Amino acid sequence: MLLGQLNAAASPLTQEQVQKLQGLVAELNPIQQAWVSGYLAANANASALGGQTPTAAAGDAAPLTILYGSQTGNAKGVATKLKEQAESRGLAVKLVSMSDYKPTALKKEKFLTVVVSTYGEGEPPEDAETLYEFLTTKKAPKLDGVKVAVLGLGDSSYEFFCQTAKDFEARLNKLGAETIFQRADLDVDYDDEAATWITDALDAFEPDLKAQQDAVGGQVVSMPFGAPTAAASQYTKQNPFAAELVTVQKITGRDSTKDVRHVEISLEGSDITYLPGDSLGVYFLNDEARVDELLTHTQIDASAQVKVGEESLSIRDALIEKLELTQSYPGFVEKYAVATGTPELLKLVEDKAAMREYIEPRQIFDVVAQNPAKIDAQTLVDCLRKLQARLYSIASSQSEVEEEVHLTVGLVEFDAFGSEHLGGCSGYLARRAEEGCKVKVFSEHNDNFRLPSDDNTPIIMVGPGTGIAPFRAFLQERDSREAQGKNWLFFGNPHFTQDFLYQVEIQGYLKSGLLSKVDVAFSRDQAEKVYVQDKLRKNSKEIFEWLEAGAHFYVCGDANRMAKDVHNALVDIISENTGKSYEDAEQYLKDLRSANRYQKDVY
């Protein structure tokens, strides 16, 4: 039976396990699939005979436990590389998502690494929240004698850069754990520094790990054929696929205050697969006209040759294709200030608050335009960080669109300093890219935002604005699977006539019965503004009945305001229908989250 035809009814797997298996196999080339097949067969035989499982040491030798907390998949990727390198050294290792880790297991650890991202205002990713909070409670065990190393991933354009990693290390140390290797706080361009940290951290752990393995006579079970390696046909963040941009269609009205585009991209020939809830990474080209202006401001010859990593190319091509020029961050201002000796910028280096205030309304284009100075081409490149792909929640199900992927992209546009400014990727897709051109893409799996494994489970989806994207994918998937579970959608935007995204599709699903209920909140269509959280409160009793009946609750969209307002509305709904205190209502939601019944995809 082909994997694409596999379902829970025809196998000993649950539907969720089938989905996970399909997601894994989609990432593997034929050689890797054959390796996994042999490995699983050997593992099953070993288990049946009561033998060892691979990567576990014999005796009482403790493994190196790698815990990761990942919002978009980056921390998971780094943690996986750490695991692979540890195994290549013959070290026993255990890789675990924080969402799957029992906090009480901490008392059994001896060697621990934490790889964790930070998002929002210094907040932990969804899958790290439970462990993050547990470390501050009285239940947290003493960790005397435990050796730890922490790696943080973040974005220095945000104020609380890598705060979650800093917090984890501080909390582990307070419980008695010893930091055996210095924490690193890595920016968005983290690949090279992460590789160095992994090597050096393993150098620090290896002597103790091998000594205790030797002391108990432990041998790490070797895996057949060695660790799998990525093949050229596997498309990733580091090796994206050049896909055809098929359609870019505006789906807001002429008089809308928003410009939202429905984007369709062909994946034909790539073997890229995805599940509802996943994201698509998209690389873009910077605005050529603005790049030429920047070269004029810095008096650089457009044909001057530079190196970006190991690649040699002209400075103009590097600025268009390889380097970040829209999203400002303190590191650039600091390096540019030193390189050019600009007094006004040098003052900002000494004042973090003033620096934040300065970069908030400015793109890098603006910083250079307002502080023109002659600078060497390679020096400018060294001031900049590599262009990062933008992640968009996928708005389609492959069971519906097959070798395509759909996105719902809101154009970022604002006026500043006398001119129109556009977001890097949204500006490229909406204004500059032509249908038929090639766009470099890759899929980013998100196991923290998944449909229920049981198709009979009811779901509640809250997705205002472009937050509707993954729920379009959810509905397409449930439609194709003929899922019997009820579906309730909450959608919001400013105006019904201008901003009802995918209106025809949603009304069609409502008519067919796939959508059991739809509640919309068009905030500007009446004197008093109405938002999705208001609609939730209005349906308080029924929302709670659905939750008590096992419904999964999903939120997608703005993290800073909407998601918090929705969360507070849920707390109120639970309190109102149960008489629980605020603290107990919060615990109700934490229990839902632990059961994967309360999931968020927020940004």
Side-chain angles (χ1 to χ4, degrees):
M1 178 182 290
L2 295 175
L3 189 62
Q5 301 169 332
L6 187 63
N7 59 59
S11 77
L13 305 179
T14 66
Q15 186 61 44
E16 185 174 11
Q17 288 171 327
V18 169
Q19 286 185 324
K20 288 182 177 180
L21 182 59
Q22 289 171 328
L24 171 63
V25 173
E27 300 177 10
L28 306 179
N29 60 47
I31 294 175
Q32 291 172 322
Q33 290 178 23
W35 179 91
V36 169
S37 176
Y39 166 67
L40 291 175
N43 188 48
N45 288 337
S47 297
L49 296 170
Q52 281 182 314
T53 56
T55 74
D60 295 320
L64 173 63
T65 297
I66 304 169
L67 294 177
Y68 67 86
S70 189
Q71 192 71 19
T72 62
N74 290 336
K76 180 182 179 181
V78 173
T80 301
K81 290 178 181 177
L82 175 58
K83 171 183 178 286
E84 292 169 353
Q85 288 205 27
E87 288 175 340
S88 72
R89 297 183 183 212
L91 303 176
V93 62
K94 179 173 64 177
L95 176 67
V96 192
S97 166
M98 292 183 186
S99 63
D100 297 326
Y101 185 77
K102 292 184 178 180
T104 53
L106 276 172
K107 60 180 178 289
K108 299 177 183 178
E109 304 293 355
K110 293 183 180 178
F111 306 98
L112 184 65
T113 51
V114 172
V115 183
V116 67
S117 62
T118 296
Y119 87 104
E121 298 176 13
E123 297 164 9
E126 286 281 302
D127 56 0
E129 285 185 0
T130 299
L131 182 61
Y132 180 81
E133 293 172 2
F134 175 81
L135 292 175
T136 62
T137 67
K138 293 179 180 179
K139 294 182 180 180
K142 292 293 182 183
L143 299 178
D144 298 330
V146 178
K147 292 179 168 60
V148 303
V150 177
L151 179 65
L153 301 183
D155 184 340
S156 63
S157 61
Y158 290 90
E159 182 176 358
F160 299 99
F161 176 57
C162 287
Q163 187 61 47
T164 302
K166 296 171 186 176
D167 291 345
F168 261 105
E169 185 177 60
R171 294 176 186 188
L172 290 168
N173 290 159
K174 189 173 182 180
L175 293 169
E178 173 195 355
T179 295
I180 194 174
F181 186 69
Q182 183 178 357
R183 187 192 76 247
D185 300 327
L186 306 187
D187 211 342
V188 293
D189 185 12
Y190 60 81
D191 290 328
D192 293 341
E193 289 178 278
T196 300
W197 186 91
I198 286 171
T199 299
D200 293 345
L202 288 176
D203 286 345
F205 277 110
E206 186 170 359
D208 289 334
L209 278 164
K210 285 202 167 175
Q212 58 124 31
Q213 284 176 202
D214 293 343
V216 299
Q219 296 292 324
V220 177
V221 177
S222 61
M223 296 186 183
F225 313 120
T229 56
S233 60
Q234 190 175 23
Y235 296 101
T236 64
K237 180 181 179 181
Q238 290 74 31
N239 179 38
F241 174 67
E244 181 184 350
L245 182 63
V246 178
T247 300
V248 179
Q249 178 183 4
K250 188 176 181 183
I251 54 174
T252 43
R254 181 184 303 171
D255 298 323
S256 174
T257 57
K258 298 183 176 185
D259 184 337
V260 178
R261 306 293 175 111
H262 173 73
V263 177
E264 298 182 1
I265 296 171
S266 171
L267 298 177
E268 186 175 356
S270 71
D271 294 330
I272 290 176
T273 62
Y274 57 87
L275 293 173
D278 288 341
S279 296
L280 190 77
V282 182
Y283 286 98
F284 59 96
L285 302 179
N286 285 310
D287 188 333
E288 294 185 20
R290 298 205 71 187
V291 165
D292 290 336
E293 291 173 3
L294 185 149
L295 290 170
T296 299
H297 292 314
T298 52
Q299 301 177 47
I300 294 175
D301 182 346
S303 63
Q305 292 294 298
V306 295
K307 289 195 74 174
V308 179
E310 298 301 313
E311 185 177 2
S312 296
L313 67 171
S314 75
I315 180 66
R316 187 175 188 272
D317 288 344
L319 291 172
I320 292 171
E321 301 172 14
K322 305 291 183 181
L323 300 167
E324 181 63 65
L325 295 175
T326 49
Q327 190 177 52
S328 291
Y329 55 99
F332 170 75
V333 178
E334 292 171 11
K335 291 177 182 177
Y336 186 76
V338 172
T340 60
T342 305
E344 291 79 4
L345 296 182
L346 288 169
K347 290 178 184 176
L348 294 174
V349 175
E350 306 301 321
D351 188 339
K352 288 187 177 181
M355 173 73 83
R356 291 284 168 197
E357 186 177 346
Y358 177 81
I359 67 173
E360 197 277 328
R362 290 174 171 83
Q363 297 181 332
I364 286 175
F365 286 121
D366 298 315
V367 176
V368 175
Q370 294 169 17
N371 299 277
K374 184 176 176 59
I375 186 173
D376 175 74
Q378 187 63 51
T379 302
L380 177 61
V381 169
D382 295 341
C383 289
L384 295 163
R385 66 187 185 192
K386 290 180 183 177
L387 185 146
Q388 297 297 306
R390 304 302 196 252
L391 289 177
Y392 293 98
S393 300
I394 291 175
S396 56
S397 164
Q398 271 194 305
S399 60
E400 172 80 17
V401 302
E402 299 181 342
E403 291 189 306
E404 287 186 357
V405 60
H406 298 176
L407 308 176
T408 310
V409 178
L411 174 64
V412 176
E413 54 182 333
F414 60 97
D415 290 324
F417 315 112
S419 66
E420 180 187 56
H421 287 55
L422 301 177
C425 194
S426 66
Y428 174 68
L429 291 173
R431 295 283 185 87
R432 301 192 300 277
E434 297 181 356
E435 292 181 355
C437 76
K438 296 295 185 180
V439 181
K440 292 181 180 179
V441 302
F442 60 93
S443 63
E444 191 75 74
H445 296 294
N446 182 5
D447 292 331
N448 299 316
F449 203 74
R450 286 283 184 254
L451 278 166
S453 56
D454 183 351
D455 281 347
N456 294 311
T457 302
I459 64 173
I460 301 170
M461 302 164 282
V462 182
T466 56
I468 189 67
F471 303 132
R472 183 175 184 262
F474 277 21
L475 290 168
Q476 287 184 358
E477 180 73 10
R478 287 204 129 185
D479 192 32
S480 71
R481 281 170 24 186
E482 298 182 354
Q484 297 303 303
K486 295 189 296 183
N487 306 295
W488 189 351
L489 175 67
F490 287 83
F491 174 75
N493 239 348
H495 298 286
F496 171 81
T497 57
Q498 303 293 321
D499 307 305
F500 196 165
L501 308 183
Y502 303 113
Q503 177 184 355
V504 173
E505 292 181 23
I506 289 170
Q507 290 176 332
Y509 284 139
L510 190 60
K511 184 177 180 180
S512 72
L514 178 70
L515 267 171
S516 310
K517 289 177 68 72
V518 174
D519 278 88
V520 291
F522 293 104
S523 57
R524 307 301 197 274
D525 279 351
Q526 58 283 310
E528 185 179 348
K529 293 178 181 177
V530 178
Y531 299 103
V532 286
Q533 60 267 24
D534 300 317
K535 290 290 184 175
L536 288 170
R537 286 192 170 93
K538 189 174 180 180
N539 290 274
S540 172
K541 184 175 183 292
E542 194 170 359
I543 290 281
F544 185 71
E545 288 173 352
W546 278 50
L547 292 177
E548 286 291 282
H552 287 215
F553 192 98
Y554 300 90
V555 185
C556 182
D558 172 59
N560 292 327
R561 295 184 61 183
M562 183 277 297
K564 292 177 180 177
D565 290 339
V566 167
H567 182 89
N568 291 335
L570 278 177
V571 172
D572 291 343
I573 287 168
I574 293 161
S575 294
E576 180 182 317
N577 286 276
T578 63
K580 290 179 183 290
S581 66
Y582 175 87
E583 291 74 17
D584 288 342
E586 280 280 8
Q587 186 59 51
Y588 183 102
L589 288 178
K590 287 179 182 178
D591 292 342
L592 286 185
R593 190 160 55 230
S594 297
N596 294 321
R597 289 180 50 207
Y598 178 25
Q599 299 182 31
K600 292 184 277 189
D601 177 12
V602 296
Y603 38 83

